Amino acid sequence: MAEFTQPATVLSVTDLTPHVRQLVLLPQTQKIPFQPGQWVSLKLPVGPKPPLNRAYSLAAPSTASGELTLVFDRVMRGLGSGYLYTLNPGDEVMLSGPYGNFTIPQQLDRDLLLVARYTGLVPIRCMLKHLYAQRQMATILLIAVAPAEEELFFHQELLTLAVTHPGFRYLPLVAAGGEQQGIDLTLSMLRPLIEGMPKVIPMLCGTKGFARPLRTYFVEAGYDRKEVKTETYD
Ligand SMILES: Cc1cc2nc3c(=O)[nH]c(=O)nc-3n(C[C@H](O)[C@H](O)[C@H](O)COP(=O)(O)OP(=O)(O)OC[C@H]3O[C@@H](n4cnc5c(N)ncnc54)[C@H](O)[C@@H]3O)c2cc1C
């Protein structure tokens, strides 16, 4: 069956950092019910064979009015993200969804260990907002890696969450030296938490170059591949 595609109106455009932007969209035909961690597919009027399909995770849980919050970075020479940066309030974009199974596990019977590289934080932020709105008391550690200090988005919100929720720990890391440095820094934080310790529920999100070596680390530490939930962006 063909996927249902509808226009959505841009309600607001907000820069969260010098290279990360938030768009709030309102689907025009029908609401899109979704689970935190899921994504929508935008059909963008650019590229050699439009529409260009690009996936964007929902950054905030669903609301009664049905608006969708997307957060994305401007990828260098990126066709889709470059186009999204041209949108203004009142503009329209075509989309379908929701899709994906990078969602909160049914049973939170172990600590959650969330690792995000840059905009990989988007679905994880949605999950955190959902969990804390439900007064979920799971123990959660978030490691968020950004390419520069000013690119740590939702930083203040996450710091506040860590202060107000004793079960939530937030470890922001800056890896200005690129993907490999991000992996090395993350591993140095992970090792004492994983080796010889009770198992956690790992969830990883970011580029393949970042997420895959970390998943391999967990597998080598005794985790089944399926136990390491992974979402890759490229
Ligand atoms: C399930 C899913 C959810 C996603 N959610 C988000 C989200 O919430 N926010 C977000 O910003 N992005 C998200 N993405 C990535 C997004 O779909 C696009 O791939 C990204 O915006 C780049 O598209 P583009 O057309 O601008 O770049 P392209 O024109 O496709 O690529 C330009 C160059 O950048 C490289 N590249 C492609 N994607 C990335 C990337 N993500 N990071 C670094 N380099 C890249 C390519 O290899 C190419 O060399 C998600 C992807 C998936 C699969």
Side-chain angles (χ1 to χ4, degrees):
M1 205 168 67
E3 58 183 358
F4 174 69
T5 299
Q6 60 176 313
T9 307
V10 177
L11 296 183
S12 67
V13 178
T14 312
D15 283 325
L16 302 184
T17 77
H19 296 102
V20 176
R21 181 166 278 193
Q22 172 177 284
L23 286 186
V24 178
L25 307 175
L26 186 66
Q28 288 176 15
T29 313
Q30 64 183 49
K31 281 186 195 167
I32 296 186
F34 65 91
Q35 292 177 55
Q38 288 193 298
W39 48 275
V40 287
S41 174
L42 302 194
K43 284 90 180 52
L44 306 173
V46 285
K49 268 176 67 184
L52 178 81
N53 291 309
R54 286 289 180 268
Y56 291 93
S57 308
L58 283 322
S62 55
T63 65
S65 44
E67 72 262 22
L68 306 173
T69 303
L70 309 186
V71 170
F72 49 90
D73 64 307
R74 185 171 203 157
V75 169
M76 223 189 321
R77 290 184 289 282
L79 269 178
S81 58
Y83 175 77
L84 291 179
Y85 259 81
T86 67
L87 292 176
N88 292 304
D91 288 345
E92 270 182 18
V93 60
M94 298 299 291
L95 53 75
S96 67
Y99 305 103
N101 50 21
F102 185 71
T103 51
I104 303 164
Q106 295 271 326
Q107 280 214 320
L108 288 180
D109 49 0
R110 301 180 199 163
D111 294 357
L112 257 185
L113 201 160
L114 308 169
V115 184
R117 180 179 174 271
Y118 205 20
T119 45
L121 180 60
V122 176
I124 287 174
R125 189 266 190 158
C126 191
M127 292 177 201
L128 290 171
K129 278 191 90 76
H130 173 81
L131 286 171
Y132 289 115
Q134 306 232 313
R135 305 193 182 282
Q136 169 61 243
M137 286 302 137
T139 301
I140 303 176
L141 170 65
L142 166 64
I143 299 177
V145 186
E149 198 161 339
E150 67 272 18
E151 292 298 317
L152 284 164
F153 58 99
F154 297 135
H155 183 54
Q156 203 53 49
E157 173 184 308
L158 293 166
L159 287 173
T160 304
L161 202 62
V163 171
T164 51
H165 294 76
F168 176 65
R169 283 182 298 155
Y170 169 48
L171 251 175
L173 300 175
V174 173
E179 212 161 53
Q180 188 56 49
Q181 190 193 16
I183 296 167
D184 295 342
L185 281 174
T186 305
L187 283 175
S188 67
M189 297 292 151
L190 284 180
R191 284 195 184 101
L193 301 168
I194 300 302
E195 289 160 30
M197 302 299 276
K199 274 192 174 178
V200 297
I201 303 173
M203 296 186 77
L204 317 174
C205 189
T207 47
K208 289 188 187 109
F210 177 79
R212 287 184 176 169
L214 293 179
R215 184 174 57 189
T216 301
Y217 166 75
F218 277 100
V219 171
E220 285 170 1
Y223 285 71
D224 189 89
R225 268 181 99 75
K226 286 200 195 104
E227 285 180 301
V228 190
K229 274 203 164 197
T230 307
E231 184 87 294
T232 54
Y233 269 14
D234 54 341

